[in-house]
Amino acid sequence: MPRHEVTPPRLRCVLPFEAAPAEVRLLRRAAVRQLSHWGAPVAVDEAELLVTELATNVVKHVGEGTSATLILEWQGERLRLEVHDKSHVGPSLTRQTDCAEQECGRGLHLLASLAADWGTILTAAGKAVWCELALGALPSGCLRLERAAVVLEHYQGSQGGRLRTKGRGIGLEESAIELIADLLHWSAARGHDPDDFLDRAQMHYEAEAGAA
């Protein structure tokens, strides 16, 4: 008697958008609503940040007002995010770290550190930049420590090694402070309240530390 492999169902949502800061905010909210509707076991903050970075990349490097599409796909233990646009030029970590003050490369380094995997696919109409989140692969505390270490290593490298002379441990501590400051600038530039971001981060930390 033939054996049938049981595969988990695939949920898919297509969200067209225009590459503009106001549209990115609406897209982020729409993605969060869809994930909540599905009941996807994923950290909403992570998914929200990845959607923002993928869409903002289109605004910066393809052009404001460009038509693009976000595709959410959940199957099994992976949530896949894809942003399709009409440019055939793919993003590059190496190339984009040459941008002024390394601002361009930080978004992709953040994407690489948060996602389980990511990449670029050329399509007939342009390209798709995609990333995947692993659902429930690691306890949140371990995952956060792992992500923080990767982000700080990339971030310290983008500073040209100027903090390494003080020792790796102290250098990473100072890099962490500089990174937090940059993230507050990032939040303010997108119309958010930096104090609110700090409060929310503190609440997440205290809740997870209390549950440990």
Side-chain angles (χ1 to χ4, degrees), residues 107-148:
L108 285 180
H109 282 303
L110 186 61
L111 179 70
S113 64
L114 283 175
D117 197 7
W118 76 282
T120 304
I121 302 172
L122 293 180
T123 66
K127 72 172 181 302
V129 181
W130 61 270
C131 65
E132 292 184 344
L133 281 172
L135 307 184
L138 288 172
S140 60
C142 296
L143 181 60
R144 288 188 183 278
L145 289 174
E146 182 178 299
R147 287 203 312 259

Side-chain angles (χ1 to χ4, degrees), residues 178-189:
E178 292 293 327
L179 176 58
I180 291 170
D182 280 351
L183 289 174
L184 293 178
H185 282 293
W186 175 88
S187 67

Side-chain angles (χ1 to χ4, degrees), residues 84-194:
H84 293 248
D85 61 57
K86 297 180 181 179
S87 170
H88 287 88
V89 179
S92 167
L93 283 169
T94 302
R95 184 181 70 252
Q96 292 198 10
T97 51
D98 294 332
C99 295
E101 299 181 357
Q102 283 73 43
E103 180 181 358
C104 301
R106 289 179 192 171
L108 285 180
H109 282 303
L110 186 61
L111 179 70
S113 64
L114 283 175
D117 197 7
W118 76 282
T120 304
I121 302 172
L122 293 180
T123 66
K127 72 172 181 302
V129 181
W130 61 270
C131 65
E132 292 184 344
L133 281 172
L135 307 184
L138 288 172
S140 60
C142 296
L143 181 60
R144 288 188 183 278
L145 289 174
E146 182 178 299
R147 287 203 312 259
V150 173
V151 170
L152 286 173
E153 290 288 353
H154 282 304
Y155 184 80
Q156 189 180 58
S158 75
Q159 295 176 311
R162 61 185 177 89
L163 296 175
R164 294 184 185 276
T165 56
K166 298 183 179 181
R168 184 176 182 275
I170 298 175
L172 287 179
E173 288 178 8
E174 295 192 20
S175 289
I177 294 171
E178 292 293 327
L179 176 58
I180 291 170
D182 280 351
L183 289 174
L184 293 178
H185 282 293
W186 175 88
S187 67
R190 284 159 175 77
H192 301 294
D193 182 356

Side-chain angles (χ1 to χ4, degrees), residues 28-101:
R28 183 173 63 234
R29 294 171 189 166
V32 170
R33 283 197 302 270
Q34 184 61 56
L35 294 176
S36 299
H37 175 71
W38 283 345
V42 63
V44 172
D45 288 346
E46 294 175 2
E48 191 175 4
L49 182 56
L50 289 172
V51 168
T52 300
E53 291 301 332
L54 288 170
T56 300
N57 190 64
V58 180
V59 177
K60 288 182 178 179
H61 305 295
V62 181
E64 190 165 341
T66 301
S67 296
T69 303
L70 168 67
I71 298 177
L72 305 174
E73 190 172 274
W74 175 26
Q75 184 172 25
E77 297 182 351
R78 289 291 177 104
L79 174 68
R80 184 180 179 95
L81 313 174
E82 290 185 10
V83 168
H84 293 248
D85 61 57
K86 297 180 181 179
S87 170
H88 287 88
V89 179
S92 167
L93 283 169
T94 302
R95 184 181 70 252
Q96 292 198 10
T97 51
D98 294 332
C99 295
E101 299 181 357

